[in-house]
Amino acid sequence: MTKRDNRDLLYGIHAVSATLEAGDRPVQTLYILAKKNAGKKLPRSLSGIVKAAEAKKVPVICLSAGEFKQLIGDVVHQGVAAHAAPFPFVSLEDLLMPWDAARHIPFLLIADGVVDPHNLGALIRTAVCAGVDGLVIPKDNAAGPTPAVVKVSAGAVEYMRIARVTNLTRAINRLKDKGIWVAGLDRTGGKTVYEYDLTGPLALVVGGEEKGIRRLVREACDYVMAIPQAGVVESLNVSVAGGVAMYEVCRQRREKI
């Protein structure tokens, strides 16, 4: 069980720690796998989370192994879980607002139909490390920032601003209206990521696991670029391909400074 009463049931040390630290959504209850009144006998990894929760006046409940399994099920929870408010999505316009005022060169990631939580979690973790400003995902037929995605991302989801839109093509056109270049990533691209200037305002589009970028989304992109491959394997995993491209953007921008 991952949801109850419109709450997310998060699990894992990094996921829960990041949610407490980021503070963008309230944590309502913290659950610890421990004997009642365990106190200072908790392992260091859990005692730090308990202190962080207590500092924010979050109730802490100790559960037995059986109670914990009944609460969270058969997942790798590392002895900690938390009920938290639903993920706080932002609107596409809110995602764009800071750049109007601060003259920041935006770097966005667009995930077109990524359905595997592990792939989305890995993409978001890399995106946070690579300095991506925000993520745009479609509302339907795609993974969202579920507790599983938060766990896979090691809590990085809590530091990523995410806009969920009903029409990805329309959202891309809005980004282009704001002066952001939109680059699709696909193995059929005419040039490679190393042949484009990626230092300007940019939104990088990665496609779903089976079909890649959808036709209408691809047509809305300013250009489509590829990652060179030896040809033995047909294509890279979406999270790996996205990571390669995101760090090429980082490399180019750092060299330009």
Side-chain angles (χ1 to χ4, degrees):
M1 180 176 63
T2 55
K3 280 198 174 183
R4 186 179 68 186
D5 300 331
N6 200 32
R7 297 179 292 176
D8 280 356
L9 184 52
L10 307 176
Y11 54 92
I13 291 172
H14 294 298
V16 174
S17 294
T19 306
L20 284 166
E21 181 182 287
D24 289 336
R25 55 170 161 171
V27 175
Q28 298 158 351
T29 310
L30 178 70
Y31 303 97
I32 296 294
L33 177 60
K35 294 181 179 179
K36 311 296 181 183
N37 304 315
K40 295 182 179 179
K41 296 181 181 179
L42 288 172
R44 183 179 299 178
S45 58
L46 297 184
S47 62
I49 292 177
V50 170
K51 288 179 181 178
E54 290 175 342
K56 294 193 173 186
K57 299 182 179 179
V58 175
V60 179
I61 299 176
C62 294
L63 300 178
S64 67
E67 291 170 328
F68 218 95
K69 184 175 181 179
Q70 186 177 7
L71 173 73
I72 195 70
D74 292 318
V75 297
V76 182
H77 50 68
Q78 299 175 297
V80 60
H83 267 122
F87 185 84
F89 291 102
V90 300
S91 70
L92 187 65
E93 295 304 314
D94 287 340
L95 204 60
L96 294 170
M97 280 181 63
W99 306 324
D100 291 336
R103 295 185 181 179
H104 173 72
I105 299 176
F107 180 19
L108 290 175
L109 177 66
I110 301 174
D112 178 23
V114 175
V115 297
D116 188 329
H118 287 79
N119 282 334
L120 184 62
L123 275 169
I124 294 174
R125 184 173 184 177
T126 302
V128 171
C129 293
V132 170
D133 298 299
L135 170 67
V136 181
I137 59 174
K139 185 177 180 180
D140 300 316
N141 302 315
T146 62
V149 172
V150 178
K151 174 67 164 57
V152 172
S153 76
V157 169
E158 303 301 325
Y159 301 100
M160 177 58 66
R161 304 176 75 211
I162 303 177
R164 188 166 59 176
V165 300
T166 55
N167 189 309
L168 204 54
T169 302
R170 189 180 303 145
I172 287 174
N173 288 330
R174 178 59 180 151
L175 297 179
K176 292 164 70 173
D177 289 342
K178 300 289 287 187
I180 298 173
W181 288 85
V182 180
L185 188 64
D186 190 271
R187 62 188 179 88
T188 62
K191 295 181 179 180
T192 72
V193 295
Y194 308 114
E195 297 176 272
Y196 284 97
D197 181 353
L198 305 175
T199 59
L202 181 71
L204 175 68
V205 184
V206 296
E209 291 86 354
E210 291 187 9
K211 297 181 180 179
I213 302 173
R214 291 173 295 169
R215 180 180 62 83
L216 292 178
V217 172
R218 181 187 178 109
E219 291 175 357
C221 294
D222 291 300
Y223 53 88
V224 178
M225 52 191 186
I227 295 173
Q229 297 177 51
V232 178
V233 178
E234 184 176 348
S235 63
L236 291 169
N237 172 277
V238 61
S239 64
V240 174
V244 171
M246 283 186 273
Y247 269 94
E248 174 59 14
V249 176
C250 288
R251 184 193 68 79
Q252 291 190 20
R253 291 186 174 192
R254 289 186 177 183
E255 285 190 355
K256 192 174 181 178
I257 296 175

